[in-house]
Amino acid sequence: MSNLREIIDDTLANLDEMKRAGVTHVEVARETLAGLSWTGVPPVAAGISQKTGGTPLQQDLSSLQAQVKSCVKCSELSRCRTNTVFGAGNPRAELMFIGEAPGADEDEQGEPFVGRAGQLLTKIIEAMGFRREDVYIANVLKCRPPENRVPEPTEVANCKPYLLAQIDAIQPKVMVALGATAVRSLLDVQIGITKMRGNWYTFHNIPIMPTFHPAYLLRNPPAKKEVWDDMKTVLAKLGREAPRR
Ligand code: URA
């Protein structure tokens, strides 16, 4: 330990010296940063891996998940939740779905999209020729809003670094934004989902397809046709053929 203290003191002294000599930037290897604790920025968002077993990507996501589990940024949501709902699926997924927020079933089980809307999402994923575990599923909010109310802008802002870090870690080829909340939280646009769906947008250089939320499809089954059209566009972007239905 005293060795480490000496190294840190020497490094700080050297940096001080360089600063006085006019140096304004130094390059630091990611490995050097691994293990340092940060406040505010999730390590994965800062490009830092934690050393805890599993692949570096799994480590990133599990350390982020641990941060989400103890998050109390939204006092109402953190008081009311049974479980946080981080996200699920393949950490190397080429396709990522982003929903709004957990409902009662998701809060109970700690898994995204497991209720009625989730079962419909699973059917959509399978109709596209994937298994649920091939893709990655996350939400804008990681906690259930009481009575499933629409997330408040402050809640979306509080939770956004976690979603950004997930996207950053997974680096999907294509994302699908399910419903208006997901679209608005990622894209700075005020156009309704009906106008946006079916058209490509870009988020952090990743193509994103807005489409209707599966909960809307449960209330309005004829809109499934539009969602299937959107999913065929997504498959084409991924260079895959739509399975025959
Ligand atoms: N609706 C969502 O937006 N997300 C879920 O996880 C479940 C329902």
Side-chain angles (χ1 to χ4, degrees):
M1 257 309 158
S2 65
N3 263 350
L4 179 62
R5 186 69 257 165
E6 275 169 34
I7 292 168
I8 292 172
D9 287 344
D10 281 356
T11 308
L12 289 175
N14 283 341
L15 287 171
D16 226 10
E17 187 106 1
M18 287 159 74
K19 198 170 160 191
R20 270 186 275 120
V23 175
T24 54
H25 293 85
V26 287
E27 281 193 23
V28 180
R30 281 179 175 213
E31 304 82 283
T32 312
L33 294 172
L36 291 185
S37 59
W38 290 65
T39 48
V41 186
V44 68
I48 299 163
S49 309
Q50 305 274 298
K51 291 183 174 155
T52 49
T55 68
L57 190 50
Q58 284 162 344
Q59 291 161 18
D60 282 348
L61 288 170
S62 44
S63 78
L64 186 64
Q65 182 165 14
Q67 290 178 59
V68 166
K69 210 167 186 170
S70 59
C71 180
V72 288
K73 286 197 254 178
C74 306
S75 58
E76 187 189 18
L77 302 194
S78 54
R79 261 187 291 112
C80 295
R81 74 187 175 214
T82 312
N83 286 298
T84 53
V85 179
F86 178 66
N90 180 356
R92 297 192 185 281
E94 55 178 15
L95 179 57
M96 179 167 179
F97 289 86
I98 301 169
E100 178 174 305
D105 296 306
E106 290 78 20
D107 174 69
E108 190 64 39
Q109 298 180 41
E111 284 281 315
F113 280 99
V114 288
R116 277 185 69 225
Q119 284 157 23
L120 181 51
L121 177 63
T122 304
K123 278 193 186 160
I124 294 170
I125 291 167
E126 289 172 353
M128 294 173 79
F130 291 103
R131 295 166 309 167
R132 204 178 134 102
E133 57 271 33
D134 295 329
V135 303
Y136 197 89
I137 306 173
N139 281 306
V140 170
L141 291 197
K142 311 303 185 208
C143 296
R144 180 192 182 203
E147 312 302 326
N148 297 346
R149 64 161 169 72
V150 175
E152 299 284 349
T154 49
E155 294 164 350
V156 172
N158 285 342
C159 224
K160 197 160 173 178
Y162 300 130
L163 179 60
L164 295 187
Q166 282 174 302
I167 295 171
D168 226 42
I170 295 160
Q171 286 290 315
K173 282 197 192 136
V174 172
M175 297 192 289
V176 175
L178 299 165
T181 301
V183 172
R184 276 195 219 116
S185 96
L186 295 172
L187 303 171
D188 193 17
V189 282
Q190 293 308 318
I191 315 167
I193 182 76
T194 311
K195 282 232 168 79
M196 290 182 78
R197 61 141 289 272
N199 299 299
W200 287 111
Y201 294 79
T202 304
F203 180 78
H204 288 202
N205 285 326
I206 301 170
I208 181 163
M209 171 60 72
T211 197
F212 294 128
H213 192 286
Y216 173 74
L217 299 183
L218 291 174
R219 298 191 300 273
N220 187 12
K224 285 180 187 173
K225 151 107 186 49
E226 275 104 316
V227 171
W228 182 238
D229 287 344
D230 299 345
M231 295 308 103
K232 283 192 287 190
T233 309
V234 166
L235 287 169
K237 187 72 134 191
L238 290 169
R240 287 171 166 257
E241 269 195 31
R244 286 182 162 270
R245 305 183 73 214

